[in-house]
Amino acid sequence: MDFKDEIRQFASRVDRLLPQIKTEEATKTSLIMPFLKILGYDVFDPFEVQPEFIADIGIKKGEKVDYAILREGKPIILIECKHYADGLDPHNSQLFRYFHTSEAKFSLLTNGVEYRFYTDLVTPNKMDEKPFFEFKISDIKDNELAELRKFHKSVFDLDSISSAASELKYFNELTILANGEMQNPSDEFVRYFTRQVYPSVVTVKILEQFTPLVKRVFSQIVNDQIAERLKSALKKETENEAQQILTPAEPESLIVTTEEEIDGFLIVKSILRKDVEVGRIFMRDNQSYCGVLLDDNNRKPICRFYFTPNKLRIGLFDQEKKETKYDLAQLDDIYTYSEQIMETIAHYQQIDHKN
């Protein structure tokens, strides 16, 4: 399973876990440690992830940070954890006090739902008051995933992240500012555009007249962009459907894609990640089963899921596309059939090569 899929799968579980998390310690165990593991760090190796990291401050000895990620024995990221229901107020954070006493270049303040990364862009060795990167795990976007991946152990590069941190910080602040102006344009913002089109002095009365106009203009621009993207997506979908022989359409209201089906699909992608580009593997849900296809083509079935509240079954195909169904005690049992799944893909690739 690639990094993006792992994060998406983890994010899909977070909201379901929250009601069972009663303490800060439970937040660490259920949310933050699994997150660090996805980033490639061994949370059970104190030489890599050290809990209760000691950061002495002047005459105060034995002060501790929740976690420190280490490289070659030196801290590179300090992590302070809160209960998931607690707000993240950096002014009350121990990170402010600890940051300058350690060699760490980055710090992370998190409650397992929100993640805020800090560095020292304003004053060297003093943690900035504003994070240069932040996101909510249950609503993480593709561009945020790309930034988060830079902190993965396999690609972590201190100089690379540091050089990009400044641009990322100001990009995020400009984004917030632009969104605010679009929702509630300030007088300065309205005056700037009004001067470009109004031939006389921009008085208070003119500002009042142009403020709703400016707001409408930007709303229209956004709506037009959304409409254009939807139009392009529908056009592409129509073209794809025209190229393939599709199964008869089923009433959409009767098709419910379950979390187990999504997890099963991610497991199949994980099995095949070394044999085929994961972007070629598609899930297509039907009323009676959920199919996994190569190239989103019904003629290339990889497997089918027959999941009910009381029973899990997987259907696998031989070279003649004859289906055999197997019972699963749990979703992870799909890995038991890894060889058969890979053989199915190898067969399709062999046919494609001949053609």
Side-chain angles (χ1 to χ4, degrees), residues 49-271:
V49 179
Q50 187 174 121
E52 300 294 312
F53 179 74
I54 296 177
D56 291 334
I57 305 174
I59 62 174
K60 294 186 68 175
K61 303 297 181 182
E63 295 293 307
K64 297 176 181 179
V65 184
D66 290 313
Y67 296 104
I69 295 178
L70 309 178
R71 173 177 286 184
E72 297 178 353
K74 298 179 179 180
I76 56 175
I77 305 176
L78 300 180
I79 304 171
E80 182 179 345
C81 308
K82 302 290 186 183
H83 183 263
Y84 82 86
D86 291 343
L88 299 181
D89 184 354
H91 294 285
N92 296 330
S93 169
Q94 293 173 309
L95 291 177
F96 265 109
R97 301 197 301 273
Y98 298 157
F99 189 84
H100 74 280
T101 68
S102 78
E103 299 178 65
K105 186 66 175 176
F106 303 104
S107 57
L108 169 61
L109 179 61
T110 179
N111 57 13
V113 177
E114 295 181 62
Y115 292 79
R116 298 181 183 179
F117 288 84
Y118 297 82
T119 188
D120 56 351
L121 295 174
V122 178
T123 304
N125 299 320
K126 181 181 179 182
M127 194 179 97
D128 297 337
E129 292 190 10
K130 294 182 178 180
F132 70 89
F133 174 46
E134 60 182 313
F135 61 89
K136 189 174 181 180
I137 190 68
S138 56
D139 189 33
I140 190 167
K141 301 173 179 61
D142 286 344
N143 64 306
E144 294 169 339
L145 276 167
E147 295 298 331
L148 177 60
R149 193 178 186 281
K150 295 176 182 178
F151 287 91
H152 194 282
K153 178 184 175 182
S154 63
V155 296
F156 184 91
D157 180 78
L158 182 65
D159 294 333
S160 175
I161 301 178
S162 296
S163 62
S166 178
E167 180 178 337
L168 182 60
K169 174 186 176 183
Y170 293 120
F171 176 84
N172 290 336
E173 291 184 2
L174 285 170
T175 300
I176 294 172
L177 179 63
N179 281 330
E181 292 288 4
M182 289 171 62
Q183 296 295 324
N184 296 291
S186 64
D187 288 349
E188 293 80 3
F189 189 76
V190 175
R191 183 177 286 108
Y192 172 81
F193 287 100
T194 304
R195 283 174 175 171
Q196 315 303 315
V197 297
Y198 188 70
S200 188
V201 177
V202 180
T203 63
V204 173
K205 184 176 181 180
I206 296 300
L207 274 181
E208 291 176 353
Q209 177 185 344
F210 272 81
T211 295
L213 289 177
V214 171
K215 185 174 181 179
R216 280 173 53 196
V217 165
F218 279 93
S219 295
Q220 187 63 52
I221 291 172
V222 172
N223 290 337
D224 288 345
Q225 289 177 338
I226 293 173
E228 186 61 33
R229 290 184 180 181
L230 287 173
K231 182 179 177 181
S232 298
L234 289 171
K235 181 180 178 182
K236 184 176 180 180
E237 183 177 345
T238 301
E239 290 173 349
N240 289 338
E241 289 177 352
Q243 293 172 358
Q244 298 178 3
I245 300 176
L246 302 178
T247 55
E250 295 179 339
E252 187 175 338
S253 60
L254 298 179
I255 300 174
V256 179
T257 301
T258 66
E259 186 173 327
E260 285 78 11
E261 289 170 340
I262 294 173
D263 288 344
F265 173 62
L266 294 175
I267 290 173
V268 173
K269 289 178 70 174
S270 173
I271 291 170

Side-chain angles (χ1 to χ4, degrees), residues 310-348:
N310 300 319
K311 197 168 189 178
L312 302 175
R313 304 187 80 191
I314 185 171
L316 301 175
F317 297 87
D318 60 19
Q319 294 189 4
E320 303 301 323
K321 296 184 182 177
K322 179 182 177 182
E323 183 183 10
T324 304
K325 298 177 183 178
Y326 302 90
D327 291 336
L328 305 172
Q330 56 187 358
L331 281 178
D332 282 351
D333 288 350
I334 295 174
Y335 286 107
T336 306
Y337 302 99
S338 297
E339 187 173 341
Q340 289 171 256
I341 293 172
M342 289 187 288
E343 286 176 355
T344 300
I345 286 291
H347 176 63
Y348 292 144

Side-chain angles (χ1 to χ4, degrees), residues 295-306:
D295 298 327
D296 203 16
N297 190 334
N298 277 330
R299 296 179 179 177
K300 298 179 180 180
I302 299 172
C303 64
R304 290 176 177 173
F305 301 138
Y306 300 88

Side-chain angles (χ1 to χ4, degrees), residues 277-295:
E277 294 179 7
V278 293
R280 295 179 61 193
I281 304 171
F282 290 80
M283 179 174 73
R284 194 183 300 181
D285 207 353
N286 295 285
Q287 191 173 343
S288 56
Y289 65 85
C290 179
V292 181
L293 310 173
L294 180 64
D295 298 327

